[in-house]
Amino acid sequence: SQTQGRLDSFFKVI
Amino acid sequence: MFEARLMNATILKKILDAVKDLLNEGTFDCSDSGIQLQAMDNSHVSLVSLTLRSDSFDKFRCDRNLSMGMNLGTMAKILKCANNDDTVTIKAQDNADTVTFMFESQNHEKVSDYEMKLMNLDQEHLGIPDTDYSCVVRMPSMEFARICRDLAQFSESMVICCTKEGVKFSASGDLGSANVKLAQTSNVDKEEEAVIIEMQEPVTLTFACRYLNAFTKATPLCNQVQLSMSADVPLVVEYRISDLGHIRYYLAPKIEE
């Protein structure tokens, strides 16, 4: 099954 | 002193319509080069990135870089008070805690101004890496909106599968399933009606329909939409805003547990 990803895990906070 | 003027309120109204379902508030960063807004929705699943270039405004002055936190619901209410063909001027003093929207009718006989309190928003900025996407699809924005609306009836999520033959949108749930395939346009008479696919590698990704439908609120801004996809990275949905700039939406894909 699939779960919704979050952008925090792809893009770094600057 | 910050001052930005557009001869026509319509574009600003459309931009607000395109972001207010996803964001309650946002910080408009103003500099010599223009106005930028970058903000994630509350759940950190999607991000809105708006760029308006200073040279496309009818007047643009920004003496010092300025970050203006705005309640977008209030801003939308204020913009509703403008007629579509009114000239809009956005003004703020340096270090001000308010921003003023001034609307002027075409015959210059009606001038109204609305002052809005600014907010201190502690928003995180995300660094978005430059990515060479495996698939870039350009298609009519109305068609994309239609597909998102139709497929959302079947499932919370939609699979987008892109190959060199075309792009397929699928949704499947308790009611049944839906598949929409679009082939690349063979001969382009009207550029705005074309489906164009640039593919390095085929990609299949799954996204939440709710967010895709929210992005399609930008449809009135541009006849074409561009979808950029690579395996396991966020989708980019881009609408150009005539010669003024663009609005990009990023959406995290659904991932295997």
Side-chain angles (χ1 to χ4, degrees):
Chain A
S1 68
Q2 292 188 314
T3 175
Q4 177 61 58
R6 283 165 57 101
L7 287 177
D8 316 57
S9 41
F10 297 100
F11 300 151
K12 287 201 175 70
V13 176
I14 47 171
Chain B
M1 175 81 185
F2 170 76
E3 190 172 343
R5 181 182 300 156
L6 286 171
M7 294 310 281
N8 190 304
T10 317
I11 281 193
L12 264 190
K13 286 174 179 243
K14 287 178 182 172
I15 290 171
L16 256 284
D17 282 342
V19 300
K20 70 180 168 52
D21 284 4
L22 288 165
L23 307 173
N24 296 323
E25 58 233 357
T27 301
F28 289 78
D29 293 312
C30 307
S31 70
D32 257 356
S33 56
I35 301 175
Q36 286 213 303
L37 165 77
Q38 193 213 70
M40 278 191 283
D41 71 283
N42 283 336
S43 56
H44 288 205
V45 171
S46 70
L47 179 138
V48 177
S49 175
L50 168 73
T51 299
L52 303 174
R53 284 188 303 271
S54 56
D55 56 5
S56 304
F57 283 82
D58 300 295
K59 179 180 180 184
F60 195 93
R61 174 181 168 187
C62 184
D63 300 338
R64 294 173 60 181
N65 288 359
L66 189 66
S67 289
M68 297 193 285
M70 297 198 205
N71 180 308
L72 299 176
T74 310
M75 189 176 168
K77 281 182 190 169
I78 290 175
L79 286 170
K80 282 218 170 76
C81 304
N83 285 319
N84 283 345
D85 55 2
D86 281 355
T87 299
V88 182
T89 308
I90 308 170
K91 278 198 269 196
Q93 300 295 327
D94 293 340
N95 303 316
D97 55 4
T98 60
V99 59
T100 300
F101 295 86
M102 193 178 89
F103 307 135
E104 196 175 349
S105 65
Q106 275 197 323
N107 62 11
H108 310 291
E109 286 174 2
K110 178 181 173 187
V111 178
S112 29
D113 61 83
Y114 296 84
E115 194 180 74
M116 182 172 84
K117 286 181 184 155
L118 293 174
M119 308 166 79
N120 266 325
L121 300 174
D122 190 20
Q123 285 190 330
E124 287 174 333
H125 266 255
L126 292 179
I128 300 163
D130 284 333
T131 306
D132 288 327
Y133 288 95
S134 303
C135 293
V136 176
V137 178
R138 288 200 299 281
M139 61 185 283
S141 58
M142 289 275 280
E143 186 67 78
F144 180 60
R146 176 76 197 260
I147 291 168
C148 291
R149 190 194 71 189
D150 291 351
L151 267 56
Q153 302 179 104
F154 292 87
S155 173
E156 284 176 17
S157 50
M158 181 197 298
V159 179
I160 305 179
C161 173
C162 184
T163 63
K164 66 175 185 305
E165 282 78 35
V167 57
K168 185 172 85 168
F169 303 86
S170 310
S172 138
D174 296 340
L175 298 175
S177 63
N179 292 289
V180 180
K181 287 183 216 163
L182 293 180
Q184 181 153 214
T185 310
S186 47
N187 60 28
V188 182
D189 285 339
K190 292 183 185 167
E191 209 168 306
E192 68 267 21
E193 289 173 10
V195 175
I196 294 163
I197 297 167
E198 287 165 23
M199 192 207 73
Q200 315 300 323
E201 274 179 81
V203 175
T204 301
L205 287 166
T206 306
F207 299 102
C209 292
R210 183 161 74 86
Y211 291 95
L212 295 172
N213 270 309
F215 303 166
T216 62
K217 295 287 157 62
T219 304
L221 285 167
C222 190
N223 289 329
Q224 283 260 316
V225 61
Q226 179 170 299
L227 314 177
S228 303
M229 291 171 286
S230 280
D232 303 320
V233 303
L235 163 77
V236 191
V237 179
E238 177 176 331
Y239 296 84
R240 295 206 176 132
I241 307 170
S242 56
D243 50 0
L244 194 62
H246 59 254
I247 184 161
R248 287 186 188 136
Y249 301 95
Y250 294 82
L251 178 59
K254 298 215 168 187
I255 46 180
E256 295 296 333
E257 278 191 86

